[in-house]
Amino acid sequence: MPLRLTHLEEPGTARFELLGDLDHYWADILLEAVEAALAEDTGLRDVHLHCAGLTAVDSSGLSALLMIRRRTGAAGVRLHIEERPLRLERLLELTGTLDYLTTPEAGGQGAGPARQHQGATAEEQIPGRPRTTDGH
């Protein structure tokens, strides 16, 4: 299933809702979208990836997440990988990347407690301007 991204912005925050497969066909779409957000918003402090809608993640998808972590960390931006489905949680555990990708320190300096668990609440929803990108 093609990856569909919805990108919402608020000053200092970029939020991406992922729906579909994060695999070798579509992983670059997510990476490019996050890189564009990092380039466009010099005041960016947090990038949120809401993953509840992911249907599959392969090694290319994991590689994209690791590259996003490197890019956000280099920019001093905190990365939040939220609402992780069980298949993604297992992949991160099996590959030893769970802590690297999900600790409160994932990115920005002095990051406070991160809310990076399953079941995000309504307060974590970031209002903003939706932009939808289809993986076609």
Side-chain angles (χ1 to χ4, degrees):
M1 166 188 258
L3 181 66
R4 182 179 177 103
L5 294 177
T6 301
H7 179 197
L8 302 171
E9 294 179 16
E10 177 178 281
T13 303
R15 175 178 167 216
F16 297 88
E17 293 182 6
L18 290 69
L19 178 64
D21 297 346
L22 186 59
D23 62 12
H24 66 281
Y25 293 112
W26 311 110
D28 285 344
I29 291 171
L30 175 61
L31 180 58
E32 290 168 5
V34 172
E35 287 175 338
L38 289 169
E40 290 173 9
D41 188 350
T42 56
L44 195 62
R45 294 181 310 272
D46 294 281
V47 170
H48 295 262
L49 303 179
H50 289 262
C51 299
L54 283 179
T55 53
V57 181
D58 71 2
S59 60
S60 295
L62 176 60
S63 178
L65 292 174
L66 292 168
M67 186 62 68
I68 289 167
R69 169 62 175 86
R70 281 187 221 113
R71 297 281 200 284
T72 56
V77 173
R78 291 175 295 243
L79 176 63
H80 308 270
I81 302 178
E82 301 168 330
E83 299 180 28
R84 297 183 301 272
L86 187 55
R87 70 187 62 70
L88 176 57
E89 194 79 11
R90 285 184 180 153
L91 177 65
L92 299 181
E93 288 174 357
L94 286 171
T95 58
T97 58
L98 181 65
D99 288 341
Y100 177 71
L101 288 170
T102 63
T103 59
E105 298 80 30
Q109 305 229 344
R115 299 181 56 118
Q116 299 166 342
H117 52 31
Q118 287 183 281
T121 63
E123 291 102 72
E124 292 174 326
Q125 302 295 315
I126 301 166
R129 175 182 84 228
R131 283 194 306 197
T132 302
T133 304
D134 282 321
H136 295 287

